[in-house]
Amino acid sequence: MVQVKKLGVVLEPTENLFEREAVLNPGIWQEGNKIHMFYRALDEDHCSTIGYAKLNGPMNVQERWEKPMLWGTYGYEIRGMEDPRIVKIGNTFYMFYVAHDGKNAVTAYATSEDLRSFEKKGIISPLMSYHEFDELNNELKLKDSYSFFASYYKEEAGQDVLIWHKDVFPFPRKIKGKYALIHRILPDIQIAFFDNFDRLQQNEFWWEELKKLPEHVILENKHWFESRSIGGGCPPFETKDGWVIIFHAVESRNQGRVYHACAALLDKDNPLKVIGRLHEPLFSPTEEWETQGFVSNVVFPTGTALFEDTLYIYYGAADKRIAVASTSLSELLAEMQDPTKGHNNHVQH
């Protein structure tokens, strides 16, 4: 059985105006014993910025900025920069984040050489309306739930709302000469392959990529705890057995949605090939800090750190605070690849 230890809350909201309502969903970069944490901070007007904290070891907060590190400066992000993820490719750090303009949720990115100064690079999402996607879907014949989400967002935000494009981040190295990008068009997790980052800002690239969507789905929602949708969580990291991805799964209930954390293992040379997957959640909202908050019953993993064989998973808890859970990486790898396991995860509190 995979033993998961919930270690508790590492960051709470403060009286600082930019993070008075909530702190959540951090991007994590580990340098030895230091953890750089870039987190979503929510103010009382429900506008998000990116805050920064540095940890010594997995949980000891050593430094925390009293002002945002990054905030919305362009129209496409004026209502928020949300859910940052950090990946290093070569000598460059890439921060991917959800940009919200009050109507549309797309992904944008910024780069840095030192994790202190970031240069915004713009949107890297398909600038296609759900109405246009519906027409494309007539050819693709995707499962009904793609059309369900299209109808849902058109009703919520208007007929011209763009495809809701979140949970986007690249693999930390090229695979067979190409970059690979995990992204999410509801309800599944997909991969896009590309030659350079400029391509991601060309709408013709995305038109062609979306035509390949059925072949580029890596994970579908199929288990009881994934009944509504799934989405990328923590950027993938490489092990001897393959790429590990910790993702989130959303369960529909009459009393409201429940967000779980789960894990999968992708082939090193062909990440479209899933070689292992948990068939029960890695962990679920059970503690008060996970069940009660800005949005109740949420664990939303967005970053990892590895200390010897212990994998630390940083997650948004009830969209209110940031918490940490840990597990043995070797046990997780073994369970994901053992078809007789996956139904007996045990969480220690």
Side-chain angles (χ1 to χ4, degrees):
M1 294 192 301
V2 173
Q3 301 284 327
V4 176
K5 296 179 181 178
K6 292 188 175 176
L7 304 176
V9 174
V10 68
L11 278 193
E12 294 263 16
T14 69
E15 286 304 306
N16 295 323
L17 291 177
F18 79 101
E19 59 182 8
R20 187 171 286 182
E21 188 69 37
V23 295
L24 62 159
N25 303 356
I28 298 293
W29 181 255
Q30 180 180 9
E31 287 182 338
N33 201 49
K34 303 293 184 186
I35 303 292
H36 298 275
M37 178 180 286
F38 303 85
Y39 60 90
R40 177 181 173 186
L42 193 67
D43 68 16
E44 291 176 326
D45 292 327
H46 296 173
C47 185
S48 296
T49 53
I50 307 298
Y52 173 79
K54 184 164 69 175
L55 280 57
N56 183 19
M59 291 199 65
N60 179 33
V61 179
Q62 183 180 52
E63 176 186 350
R64 184 173 180 179
W65 290 18
E66 295 189 353
K67 293 182 179 179
M69 173 174 269
L70 289 164
W71 56 92
T73 53
Y74 294 98
Y76 60 80
E77 59 188 13
I78 201 65
R79 287 302 302 164
M81 297 176 64
E82 305 174 357
D83 304 351
R85 269 78 156 199
I86 294 285
V87 175
K88 188 179 186 183
I89 304 176
N91 295 318
T92 301
F93 294 97
Y94 292 81
M95 177 190 287
F96 286 70
Y97 61 93
V98 176
H100 211 294
D101 64 2
K103 177 175 183 172
N104 297 298
V106 295
T107 296
Y109 81 108
T111 60
S112 175
E113 304 299 321
D114 59 5
L115 292 178
R116 283 293 189 269
S117 174
F118 283 86
E119 180 184 355
K120 292 181 179 178
K121 298 289 190 177
I123 296 171
I124 52 162
S125 288
L127 300 180
M128 177 191 296
S129 71
Y130 268 115
H131 181 70
E132 293 171 300
F133 181 66
D134 273 343
E135 293 183 3
L136 179 61
N137 195 9
N138 289 337
E139 302 173 32
L140 298 178
K141 294 181 171 53
L142 295 166
K143 60 189 178 186
D144 291 347
S145 47
Y146 279 89
S147 296
F148 163 78
F149 283 107
S151 299
Y152 174 82
Y153 284 109
K154 282 191 289 185
E155 186 173 327
E156 287 286 310
Q159 289 294 313
D160 59 343
V161 66
L162 299 177
I163 291 174
W164 213 253
H165 199 229
K166 300 172 114 179
D167 305 323
V168 178
F169 40 81
F171 285 74
R173 65 167 174 84
K174 287 185 174 180
I175 301 172
K176 291 188 174 178
K178 287 187 175 289
Y179 295 107
L181 188 81
I182 285 181
H183 67 117
R184 197 280 303 274
I185 296 173
L186 286 159
D188 301 329
I189 301 174
Q190 302 93 10
I191 291 184
F193 297 94
F194 60 102
D195 295 318
N196 59 69
F197 281 83
D198 291 341
R199 291 282 287 146
L200 297 177
Q201 297 182 304
Q202 298 169 2
N203 229 29
E204 60 268 26
F205 165 81
W206 281 110
W207 274 101
E208 292 305 312
E209 196 61 33
L210 292 180
K211 290 177 183 176
K212 306 170 192 169
L213 201 64
E215 303 96 74
H216 284 186
V217 170
I218 52 168
L219 291 165
E220 289 191 63
N221 56 323
K222 66 176 184 177
H223 297 305
W224 64 268
F225 57 94
E226 303 165 341
S227 54
R228 185 179 190 271
S229 61
I230 57 176
C234 310
F237 62 91
E238 194 168 5
T239 70
K240 61 180 176 57
D241 294 346
W243 297 101
V244 173
I245 176 172
I246 309 294
F247 62 96
H248 72 266
V250 187
E251 176 194 359
S252 290
R253 292 184 186 174
N254 288 329
Q255 297 86 355
R257 301 172 199 159
V258 179
Y259 282 69
H260 306 267
C262 201
L265 187 65
L266 311 178
D267 186 85
K268 274 189 181 186
D269 298 319
N270 178 16
L272 289 169
K273 182 180 178 183
V274 179
I275 55 178
R277 180 174 180 175
L278 295 184
H279 302 288
E280 293 287 328
L282 181 61
F283 59 93
S284 300
T286 55
E287 303 297 324
E288 185 178 352
W289 68 79
E290 301 163 337
T291 60
Q292 304 295 321
F294 189 66
V295 180
S296 298
N297 295 313
V298 172
V299 295
F300 195 87
T302 48
T304 58
L306 190 62
F307 290 83
E308 296 181 343
D309 186 52
T310 302
L311 179 67
Y312 292 85
I313 302 166
Y314 298 81
Y315 62 97
D319 279 12
K320 181 73 175 180
R321 50 191 72 84
I322 295 167
V324 188
S326 70
T327 190
S328 162
L329 177 59
S330 56
E331 287 182 15
L332 177 61
L333 288 168
E335 179 149 337
M336 284 194 289
Q337 296 174 86
D338 187 341
T340 67
K341 290 191 174 184
H343 296 275
N344 298 306
N345 296 340
H346 179 65
V347 178
Q348 294 181 348
H349 308 300

